[in-house]
Structures are given as C-alpha cells and as structure tokens.
Amino acid sequence: MKQVLFTILLVFAFHVKADDFKAHFIDVSQADATLLEFSKGVVMIDVGGELKNIKPSRAALNDYLSKFYTRRADLKKTIDVLIITHNHYDHISLIADLSKKYTIKRIITTKFKLTKEVEKAAKNEKIKLEFIDYRMMDSLMPKGYEVNLKNLVTAGTTIPKLLLYSGEISVKTKHTVNGHSFPPSDFSSPNNNSIVSKLIYGKTSMLFTGDLEVEGIEYLTAKYHNNLSLFDVDFYHVGHHGAENGTTKAFLDIMSPKIAVISAGDSTNRNGGSAWDHGHPRKAIVALLNEHASFTNRNQPMQVHAYSRQETIPETIDLKKEIYCTCWTGNIVMLVDSTGKYTIQ
C-alpha cells in the first residue's frame, strides 16, 4: 500500500477524471466534515459545526457544498452515504442543513447515545438509517463491514473499497483483550465508540478514526492484534482534531502513514468549544507526527501553530513533514489517482 504520492490542493476548480478520487476536508471550524468525491457519487464522513459558534461553521459548509454541487451538477445534489462516526455536536450538528438541501440516500452511524438530530433528519427526509454495533463487528471479524461503492464510479474504472470497524463497543464489565484490561468507564463517551473507516482506492489507503481516544485505539488494536496490517495505510485523518489523547506512537507505527490531515478550528476564536478552548491541535501530537519516520518530507518547511495545553496562546512549530490542518490553511482537497501518481495544481 506504500509508494503512493498524493496531491494536496487548496482550490478545487477542476473536475474529477473518470479514474481519479478527491477527498475534501472542509473547514467548518472546530468540527469535522469530510467529503469523498468519486466520478459518479459522494460519501461524507461527519457533518459537524463548532459548539457555541455554529453560524460560521454553517456558512462555511453551505458555501462549500453550494460551489461543489454547482461544479458537479451531474451529481444532482446527492450524497450516497453519510457516515457519522459518533454522536457528538462537532460531528453531527449540521445534519439538518445537509438533509434539507441535499438528497442523502443512507446514514450509517452507531446507536451509542444516538441524538435526536440524527433520528429526526432520517425520519423527516426518509433517509435509510443503519447502525454499526459490536455484535455486527464481532460477527465480521476481522474483515470489517464493507460499504458497497461500486455504483459511485464509472464502469471499467477503479472501484473504491470502504470498510468500517469498531462502532458501539460491548464493555459492560471489566474484561481483558489480548492482555489489555478494559473497564467500562473507558467507553462511557461517544468518542471511544467512534466508527473507524478505511478507504482503499487503487494503490491508496486512508484511515479515518473519528474521535477515538487512547483507550479506544488500544481496544481496536488489541481486538485486531492478529490482523494489524488492516491499519497499515498511506493517509491518516488525525484522530480527535489533533488532541493529545487521539493519536499514539504505537498506532502511528502500525499505520506508517505518509501524509496526514487534521481538522481543527481557527486559533483566533476564544469561545467555548473552540480550538483554543480544547487546545487543538496539541503541540505534542503535531511534534509526534512531524518526527515520525514514515511521513514524507515537505519540499519547503513551514511554520505552523499548535497548543501546549487548553486556553493558552498557541506556539510555533517548524513543520517539515506532509502534515496539514484546516486550522492552518482552510479547506484542503486531496487528489489521488488509482496508480498513486499526483498532480499539483
């Protein structure tokens, strides 16, 4: 899966070719909204807005999608699959906007602390609502749940493969998995019940972990300890907005990614729920990514900001690796073709 090159683009005024794929990381402030664009369809992962500052997030998402579907009029304002990794505000709060303006065919999420917003949107707009839970995941070990995307690409071209892991975790009593002990308290938050998505497109592989925290990462790797190659990928959407508990060195060693994108908010906001309030991205995690041997070196190093802790002035880091953040550059678009070649535009 290695030896793959990527394109990072800060504009997107060109059309996806029949055998190209694009991932759009939309800058919705301190929240997540990712659009995966194929030649004949769209998958979205999360559709959140910033807590206590929803208006800029809403405006940003609406503007981005309006321009996207103007360019891709052939898609008829349709989202084929919406994956909601977990039920937190910064991952689901704009679902009403999305469901009213666009046709969503399927929503895949977890029942763990399911919000009324998701159920209401699905009911009002007659959207098929599907749940990933631990019973299903256990029955599908180790291959995961595959979402059929064959109809999203032109016949005769590369067929994307989307696999889902984790979902709701069955930890009702303290128990041990592969020598690791897990108490129920580790999984009381929706974060550690995040759906993990892996996209394979030709020679390219990508991993999206939602807001999975250290305990959830350890649970995932303990459960799949005989199949850790499943998580050996080229691209990593950095967990939990670059939080200190969202990425571990051990997991990075398993993934050995070449490139990463963080979704986090603007450093100028000082409201509750902002990047400043959370301290995202955390300096220790940016440094960990920046020093990891698997990442590709940048042609030109750049200076970026990160937080040493919550509610403090961000500090400067000299970034030398292919690591990106919506908090540094705004919207990010990655173009990949099936062979791994890239074009910078």
Side-chain angles (χ1 to χ4, degrees), residues 167-183:
E168 184 182 0
I169 295 174
S170 175
V171 182
K172 307 303 181 186
T173 59
K174 186 175 181 179
H175 72 293
T176 300
V177 179
N178 190 34
H180 295 262
S181 181
F182 297 96

Side-chain angles (χ1 to χ4, degrees), residues 40-41 80 105 148-154:
K40 292 178 63 179
D80 296 272
K105 292 183 177 179
N148 188 350
L149 302 183
K150 186 176 181 179
N151 64 322
L152 302 193
V153 294
T154 305

Side-chain angles (χ1 to χ4, degrees), residues 101 118 122 127 140 157 263 285 298:
K101 294 183 178 181
V118 175
I127 304 167
L140 294 171
T157 61
S263 294
I285 293 303
R298 283 176 171 266

Side-chain angles (χ1 to χ4, degrees), residues 275-323:
W276 170 84
D277 183 42
H278 288 291
H280 295 167
R282 198 58 61 94
K283 182 179 178 182
I285 293 303
V286 176
L288 177 64
L289 298 169
N290 199 31
E291 296 301 323
H292 199 271
S294 69
F295 282 97
T296 303
N297 289 326
R298 283 176 171 266
N299 291 330
Q300 294 290 334
M302 67 177 289
Q303 287 192 328
V304 299
H305 73 265
Y307 297 87
S308 60
R309 59 185 185 277
Q310 293 175 256
E311 299 183 355
T312 188
I313 297 172
E315 301 176 27
T316 299
I317 293 179
D318 291 320
L319 198 66
K320 60 184 180 181
K321 298 293 181 67
E322 294 278 12
I323 302 157

Side-chain angles (χ1 to χ4, degrees), residues 7 13 15 20 32 44 47-48 62 88 101 113 131 155 159 172 178 185 187 189 192 230 240-241 249 258 263 268 305:
T7 302
H15 199 286
D20 287 349
D32 261 338
M44 284 198 71
V47 57
N62 288 339
H88 266 163
K101 294 183 178 181
K113 297 188 178 180
F131 299 106
I159 298 174
K172 307 303 181 186
N178 190 34
S185 58
F187 301 95
S189 165
N192 275 334
L230 290 170
H240 201 182
H241 314 281
K249 184 181 183 304
K258 290 186 174 293
S263 294
T268 60
H305 73 265

Side-chain angles (χ1 to χ4, degrees), residues 4 10 13 40 47 49 63 70 95 175 256 262-263 296 305 320 336 338:
V4 175
L10 302 182
K40 292 178 63 179
V47 57
D63 180 64
T70 296
I95 190 168
H175 72 293
S256 62
I262 305 168
S263 294
T296 303
H305 73 265
K320 60 184 180 181
V336 185
S338 61

